[in-house]
Amino acid sequence: MKPTEIDPDLFQEQGFLILRNVIPPDRLGDMRRQFEILVERQKAIWARDRGPEEPPGGAWETRPQPRVTFCDRIDAATADTVSFCLGETTFEVSRRLMAAPEAAVHAMYLMCSPVRDHGPAQWHRDVGPGHPAPLEGLQAIMKEFRPQYVQWNIALYDDHVLWVVPGSHSRVNTPQEERALAENPKVPLPGGQPAELRAGDGVVYALPILHWASHYGPKRRRCIHLGYRAFGSPVFPYVHWRHWDPVFLEHLMPWARARFERFLDLWRQEQQVIGQIFRALIDGSSVGFSDGLDRLHPAHSGRMVALVMLSKLAWRIRAFKPIESKTSSPEERLQKMKSHWHGSLLFRELTDSFTVEEAEVLWERFKPLDDRLKVAGARALPGWQGPDSPYEASRMPDLELDETLGMLLRRTRG
Ligand SMILES: [Fe+2]
């Protein structure tokens, strides 16, 4: 399978593609062997770190889908598992589907079968209600600029767990889907279909497609779960964080390490721009704010979505800073940081440039916008990730961009 053989228009239309031999047959045996070493390493850690109430294997025995962050477990002998994520059939396909000048690996997981039967999970979209922005805002960006983030399941063994509803990535739920989800979110949805993967095959899909893990049972499952985001596109991607820290780079071959160093640079540059935008808001510089927004999101359309996403980031910084100031040990600080944002180094680079007081001022700027994103009363919504949320899930707020900019800059002067 070559990147030029894929059909970005079909991907755009149905929200997913099933691709054969993403892992070439002659590489499959070695990939299985290397990944199994990483699973065993993680199992030992879970057993060591188990809680007092947990069985001897800890999370391996209790979770419906034990998930290994495999990049954190590699050494030189198993580094091919990470190099694979940079290949033509994974990275280059992703970049092409996103129509992105550059791209970066966002997450590297291995999803495993549980030790006992846990049955089906729930249908959902991989976004929360209103997070990182209301669904229709994300979809408008995706339609105009292609998906700016893609996710993969790549099977090391035949795998029929994942189902998708074709086309659901680009629309809200139908009334029929709403009824079905409210009634029972653990059975096939109308129009849903399984992604039938043979060993080595992959399914790549666009968030926020409706999808379902149809069964978590003990039949052997080893499924490589990857994410990729765009860089250099005209829009601020709706998945802009990352789920790894660069602790594994020392084990990579020089060429692969150089690729990850480039990803780090790209993220660092983006964080600097976000930092500039936030600093301008705190300092009251509308010129600095506009300049930063032009760099983060050059396109004119979709800017409201970018502002909503920035409000979420500002909220996280404001929520984290007081915790950080009360946390003395570096280990505790790291854990707290990871609970707030996934790539801890990335988050630290951003939060370090603001004091607790500045984070409060920043949030004051965004709060009027945040208020407009909420609906009265927290609601339990079927089909979304995360807990009950006070945020409107689908519709963007009834706000013009100029009005919003005025709201953010009300107490600032250029
Ligand atoms: Fe999901």
Side-chain angles (χ1 to χ4, degrees):
M1 195 267 295
K2 292 191 165 47
T4 48
E5 293 168 7
I6 59 152
D7 184 347
D9 291 337
L10 183 61
F11 182 71
Q12 178 88 337
E13 181 190 322
Q14 62 180 20
F16 74 100
L17 291 174
I18 291 175
L19 303 172
R20 302 298 172 197
N21 298 325
V22 175
I23 305 171
D26 63 357
R27 211 175 160 191
L28 187 60
D30 192 47
M31 289 296 276
R32 284 176 173 171
R33 186 186 61 77
Q34 290 194 33
F35 271 106
E36 214 51 37
I37 293 170
L38 305 183
V39 169
E40 290 303 318
R41 283 181 191 155
Q42 183 63 53
K43 281 167 69 176
I45 292 169
W46 278 329
R48 184 196 67 195
D49 296 345
R50 70 187 182 278
E53 306 297 318
E54 285 189 307
W60 178 256
E61 290 189 58
T62 56
R63 290 187 186 166
Q65 185 225 77
R67 187 182 282 211
V68 179
T69 308
F70 64 84
C71 54
D72 287 350
R73 300 289 159 254
I74 64 164
D75 54 16
T78 49
D80 269 357
T81 54
V82 169
S83 305
F84 168 73
C85 309
L86 303 171
E88 285 269 295
T89 61
T90 52
F91 183 94
E92 199 49 33
V93 169
S94 302
R95 195 188 64 76
R96 197 169 139 79
L97 292 174
M98 296 187 289
E102 291 197 68
V105 181
H106 154 268
M108 288 166 280
Y109 295 117
L110 183 74
M111 302 189 294
C112 301
S113 40
V115 297
R116 64 177 178 82
D117 206 300
H118 287 261
Q122 298 196 359
W123 282 92
H124 64 280
R125 300 175 185 268
D126 271 357
V127 290
H131 189 279
L135 182 61
E136 289 182 347
L138 305 180
Q139 290 170 333
I141 284 192
M142 198 163 47
K143 277 178 194 160
E144 187 171 351
F145 300 99
R146 302 263 166 189
Q148 296 296 299
Y149 173 78
V150 296
Q151 201 155 281
W152 289 77
N153 282 5
I154 302 165
L156 285 168
Y157 299 88
D158 292 0
D159 196 318
H160 314 296
V161 173
L162 182 76
W163 285 48
V164 294
V165 178
S168 59
H169 64 301
S170 60
R171 58 164 176 76
V172 297
N173 296 347
T174 63
Q176 191 185 19
E177 285 165 350
E178 287 289 308
R179 276 196 301 277
L181 286 168
E183 201 170 297
N184 186 354
K186 294 187 171 186
V187 296
L189 269 183
Q193 64 182 62
E196 305 270 4
L197 305 179
R198 294 190 303 261
D201 294 346
V203 53
V204 55
Y205 48 101
L207 297 191
I209 199 166
L210 267 170
H211 62 283
W212 180 45
S214 60
H215 193 88
Y216 287 140
K219 178 175 172 281
R220 188 182 193 77
R221 185 180 193 223
R222 300 284 186 267
C223 189
I224 308 167
H225 186 57
L226 305 176
Y228 295 86
R229 60 153 288 182
F231 272 104
S233 295
V235 293
F236 181 37
Y238 41 80
V239 173
H240 37 268
W241 53 93
R242 68 168 186 254
H243 285 242
W244 53 269
D245 279 324
V247 290
F248 56 88
L249 267 55
E250 61 179 306
H251 303 299
L252 300 177
M253 295 285 283
W255 70 268
R257 193 181 315 146
R259 298 281 300 278
F260 276 90
E261 299 280 6
R262 175 63 183 159
F263 302 158
L264 291 173
D265 278 347
L266 289 167
W267 257 295
R268 205 165 285 132
Q269 288 163 21
E270 185 178 84
Q271 294 279 49
Q272 282 169 359
V273 177
I274 294 170
Q276 177 195 335
I277 292 171
F278 287 171
R279 176 64 54 195
L281 278 175
I282 294 164
D283 292 348
S285 165
S286 59
V287 172
F289 176 81
S290 301
D291 177 61
L293 190 58
D294 286 345
R295 292 169 63 199
L296 185 70
H297 188 107
H300 286 292
S301 51
R303 286 197 162 193
M304 271 301 298
V305 178
L307 294 177
V308 171
M309 293 194 292
L310 287 175
S311 78
K312 308 292 182 190
L313 197 42
W315 185 88
R316 281 178 196 270
I317 294 172
R318 182 251 193 173
F320 178 70
K321 288 304 288 189
I323 297 170
E324 176 197 44
S325 67
K326 291 184 198 119
T327 308
S328 51
S329 86
E331 292 78 21
E332 195 185 349
R333 189 166 174 254
L334 187 69
Q335 281 310 319
K336 294 266 168 59
M337 199 171 270
K338 281 187 172 173
S339 71
H340 271 260
W341 206 241
H342 309 287
S344 57
L345 178 72
L346 190 67
F347 192 56
R348 192 170 71 224
E349 285 172 352
L350 189 60
T351 56
D352 274 357
S353 43
F354 302 104
T355 64
V356 175
E357 294 73 25
E358 286 171 339
E360 278 298 325
V361 174
L362 179 66
W363 180 243
E364 275 175 35
R365 307 283 191 238
F366 277 105
K367 187 156 186 321
L369 171 60
D370 184 73
D371 288 341
R372 297 290 291 268
L373 298 171
K374 292 175 178 167
V375 289
R379 295 178 298 165
L381 295 163
W384 302 91
Q385 276 200 328
D388 287 359
S389 166
Y391 290 97
E392 161 58 34
S394 297
R395 287 187 312 281
M396 286 292 287
D398 187 19
L399 279 170
E400 296 298 326
L401 182 63
D402 285 349
E403 190 184 355
T404 310
L405 293 175
M407 198 185 268
L408 290 168
L409 294 163
R410 189 158 293 154
R411 277 176 290 163
T412 67
R413 295 183 304 278

